[in-house]
Amino acid sequence: MEFEDQQAMRKTVSSFLADGPLKQFFAGRQVHQIENDRLADGSEHASDAEAILSYRQLQDVADYRQALQTWFGRLALGSHLMVIVPHAFLYERRLALPSPWRPQQRRLYTPASLMAEIEEALIPNTYRIRWLGDMDRQYDYGQDAAFEPQGDSDIALVLERIVPPAWSLEHQVNPRAASPLDALDFAFEPERTRIEMDGKPLVRRVLILKLDHLGDLIMGLPALERVRHYFADATIDLVVGSWNVAMAQDLGLADRVLAFDAFPRNSSEEEPNVPATLGRFQALVTDDYDLAIDLRTDVDTRVLLQAVKAPLKAGIGTRARFPFLNIALPLDSTRNEAERVRDERIGPHSFSLQGSGRRSHFALYSDRRTVERDCAIVWGPYLELDPGDYIFDFYIDLEDERGDGLLRLDVALDRGKTVSEMIVSGPANFHLPFRVDKPKTVFEARINTIEGHAGISFGFHGGRLIKKGPGNVLHQTEYACLLVELVKLRVRDFGTLVDVGTA
């Protein structure tokens, strides 16, 4: 949800407090609301607030530790701070930035990640968590993810400021009797939640998936040779496309070659749909294996690897995305993009602001009603850049994004020469590409009003400067070989951790 003005946002917040599980903490109390990093009633230095509410503010703040500490420090003892943030699984409905509805958002939240920031920012035993939950009142779970969600789609957390107890969590150790392990702090770890043992499984049968085109099979030869060498006594089955069967048999690296077409022979004529082939794959690969390896660099065939009956599965990817992988080699997500040889976040403190604007700890703010027309509102940071191709990403929060105002964003070099610009009338990805041709060129990013047009009220949180460079990622041959080497280390040399129960 986005709001046309602060009044509409306060109306929505009031509905949270009027009924439901949060009412008990705020009924009969004066609630101070955080807006644009400060208390809405202007009591900047209050330290005895009865209740403080931060609604969809924390996700946009760069220094969340300072923000949480500041808000919490303004509470009276026994009072409550409520933090409400968009739920990554309900609002953004994705696992990584950017947010499709709020490009300026800096972090996505789940209940666990919100709690992690609370524990990181605040001193233990100065607070207690009184409520934490998902707010999904009237949420439309049937709505297509391409559209902004309808209904509540937030996480709410309520904490109470308490008088710290007389005792401390710090573990006092006698230096003379201390061992290296005694110096570690295990205060927040359970004594034993899982029993694991170091095991080197016996590998008698291996399945290898190499479901690529002809050239990909050739590039996978070094990895296949390594599997045959490291597991010389095992029976190896190799699954390849039908067009690769003859070559795979001639290589003599597998005891049995199975033909399976996960992709069309000519992918330019027909769109691949690997999940649709799962039924045919399960009908073909019915045996049990000790180890299954998917050598394809692209992750589309992991759905087939998951269906293999094997206690050990190895593939390229991450455990976060493919939890069934026992052995996972992370993939460089930028392999199809230009390498970023410089990636620098520049905070708002590095920029100058027109006199009618306002600064906070986290941003620069400009009000369309007071800004001077036809001039720069924000400018800076005057960095010296080397030659190359760059992108500057403006972190801007448009407060009246549905109005009729305009802004011009531009990049200027050597204090005056505009080399890239865009006109802003609403939410967008504020990326400006530009090129530097000579050493020590002075870089300037600006936000300007436009003559004859109303402005837009906004908050500016700084930006991100990226210098692009030539691609320098691993080739698929190297990925496949590294995966096999990792399998060898985990299975033959060091063993793997096998869960054998809990206690």
Side-chain angles (χ1 to χ4, degrees):
M1 261 182 303
E2 296 293 343
F3 299 92
E4 293 183 5
D5 51 39
Q6 296 293 345
Q7 183 178 2
M9 184 175 76
R10 294 190 185 109
K11 182 179 179 180
T12 299
V13 169
S14 298
S15 69
F16 277 111
L17 307 182
D19 54 23
L22 305 178
K23 178 180 178 180
Q24 59 178 311
F25 303 106
F26 299 94
R29 299 194 177 196
Q30 182 183 3
V31 179
H32 300 266
Q33 187 169 329
I34 301 293
E35 293 179 7
N36 298 328
D37 309 331
R38 63 191 182 98
L39 295 183
D41 59 8
S43 52
E44 299 290 339
H45 304 292
S47 59
D48 57 354
E50 294 182 349
I52 293 178
L53 167 64
S54 168
Y55 180 80
R56 291 198 173 183
Q57 297 279 320
L58 188 62
Q59 72 281 348
D60 297 334
V61 175
D63 191 348
Y64 59 84
R65 300 176 189 85
Q66 181 177 355
L68 290 169
Q69 291 164 2
T70 300
W71 302 340
F72 182 75
R74 293 171 181 163
L75 285 175
L77 291 172
S79 297
H80 295 89
L81 169 65
M82 178 164 65
V83 178
I84 297 178
V85 292
H87 197 308
F89 300 160
L90 295 177
Y91 184 65
E92 288 83 14
R93 289 172 287 190
R94 60 174 56 193
L95 298 174
L97 289 171
S99 168
W101 320 119
R102 307 182 71 258
Q104 75 275 14
Q105 189 165 321
R106 294 174 178 269
R107 291 177 302 282
L108 301 184
Y109 282 98
T110 65
S113 63
L114 178 58
M115 268 305 308
E117 290 189 359
I118 295 291
E119 293 187 352
E120 181 182 353
L122 303 181
I123 299 174
N125 279 343
T126 60
Y127 65 92
R128 291 275 75 86
I129 301 299
R130 297 307 181 196
W131 201 88
L132 172 63
D134 296 342
M135 308 294 288
D136 62 347
R137 180 181 52 184
Q138 298 179 348
Y139 184 82
D140 185 359
Y141 283 93
Q143 186 182 33
D144 192 292
F147 299 96
E148 190 170 2
Q150 300 298 312
D152 295 340
S153 52
D154 299 280
I155 305 165
L157 181 146
V158 179
L159 56 86
E160 178 185 351
R161 184 170 184 177
I162 67 170
V163 178
W167 43 268
S168 171
L169 289 173
E170 295 182 1
H171 179 54
Q172 301 297 325
V173 180
N174 181 352
R176 296 182 179 179
S179 70
L181 286 179
D182 290 330
L184 299 177
D185 180 12
F186 294 105
F188 294 101
E189 293 189 15
E191 291 185 2
R192 194 170 74 179
T193 59
R194 191 168 182 231
I195 304 173
E196 294 180 330
M197 69 177 183
D198 180 16
K200 296 180 181 179
L202 182 61
V203 176
R204 299 186 181 91
R205 297 203 65 191
V206 177
L207 178 72
I208 304 175
L209 305 183
K210 195 68 182 83
L211 298 170
D212 300 289
H213 297 285
L214 182 62
D216 299 300
L217 178 62
I218 295 173
M219 287 185 281
L221 286 181
L224 294 172
E225 291 170 348
R226 282 170 167 77
V227 175
R228 179 76 280 176
H229 175 70
Y230 294 145
F231 300 96
D233 297 331
T235 299
I236 298 178
D237 288 353
L238 173 62
V239 185
V240 298
S242 58
W243 43 85
N244 285 331
V245 169
M247 175 180 285
Q249 291 174 336
D250 291 341
L251 293 173
L253 297 174
D255 297 284
R256 183 171 62 148
V257 176
L258 303 176
F260 181 77
D261 293 343
F263 311 99
R265 186 180 185 91
N266 187 345
S267 58
S268 63
E269 297 178 358
E270 182 181 349
E271 187 71 20
N273 186 357
V274 178
T277 69
L278 180 58
R280 290 193 294 108
F281 179 81
Q282 291 176 311
L284 174 71
V285 181
T286 58
D287 293 351
D288 293 340
Y289 295 90
D290 302 305
L291 170 65
I293 308 173
D294 187 353
L295 292 180
R296 181 167 166 82
T297 305
D298 291 333
V299 298
D300 47 9
T301 56
R302 300 305 171 272
V303 65
L304 305 180
L305 178 65
Q306 184 178 10
V308 177
K309 292 180 285 186
L312 288 176
K313 297 176 183 178
I316 295 170
T318 63
R319 288 287 302 275
R321 183 173 179 184
F322 305 109
F324 59 86
L325 290 178
N326 308 95
I327 303 171
L329 178 67
L331 179 68
D332 186 344
S333 61
T334 66
R335 71 190 192 283
N336 295 322
E337 302 174 7
E339 182 187 5
R340 295 172 179 177
V341 296
R342 176 174 181 169
D343 193 337
E344 177 180 356
R345 294 183 181 271
I346 304 174
H349 59 275
S350 299
F351 292 81
S352 299
L353 176 67
Q354 191 181 102
S356 61
R358 176 177 62 84
R359 289 182 179 270
S360 78
H361 294 297
F362 314 112
L364 310 179
Y365 297 98
S366 174
D367 191 324
R368 63 181 294 181
R369 297 168 296 184
T370 59
V371 70
E372 299 176 27
R373 301 295 174 85
D374 194 26
C375 59
I377 309 172
V378 174
W379 61 93
Y382 301 111
L383 299 176
E384 289 188 348
L385 303 182
D386 294 326
D389 292 312
Y390 292 83
I391 298 173
F392 186 71
D393 186 0
F394 289 81
Y395 292 157
I396 303 177
D397 181 5
L398 301 180
E399 296 182 7
D400 48 356
E401 59 191 36
R402 297 177 185 174
D404 56 356
L406 296 175
L407 293 174
R408 186 179 78 247
L409 313 182
D410 67 33
V411 169
L413 300 180
D414 287 335
R415 298 180 181 270
K417 181 182 178 182
T418 301
V419 295
S420 184
E421 66 178 1
M422 69 182 299
I423 304 300
V424 172
S425 60
N429 291 321
F430 306 120
H431 307 307
L432 285 186
F434 63 98
R435 180 170 179 79
V436 174
D437 293 320
K438 60 181 182 178
K440 296 187 177 181
T441 295
V442 177
F443 156 71
E444 178 183 14
R446 302 179 297 200
I447 306 175
N448 308 271
T449 54
I450 300 176
E451 184 177 6
H453 295 273
I456 303 177
S457 299
F458 66 85
F460 175 64
H461 301 269
R464 182 181 184 185
L465 180 65
I466 298 170
K467 182 181 181 183
K468 298 188 293 184
N472 189 30
V473 298
L474 297 176
H475 189 270
Q476 66 162 293
T477 300
E478 296 171 301
Y479 270 118
C481 288
L482 286 174
L483 176 61
V484 174
E485 293 295 330
L486 184 59
V487 170
K488 180 244 185 183
L489 289 173
R490 296 282 180 86
V491 176
R492 282 192 35 180
D493 296 351
F494 301 129
T496 57
L497 291 178
V498 181
D499 185 8
V500 296
T502 57

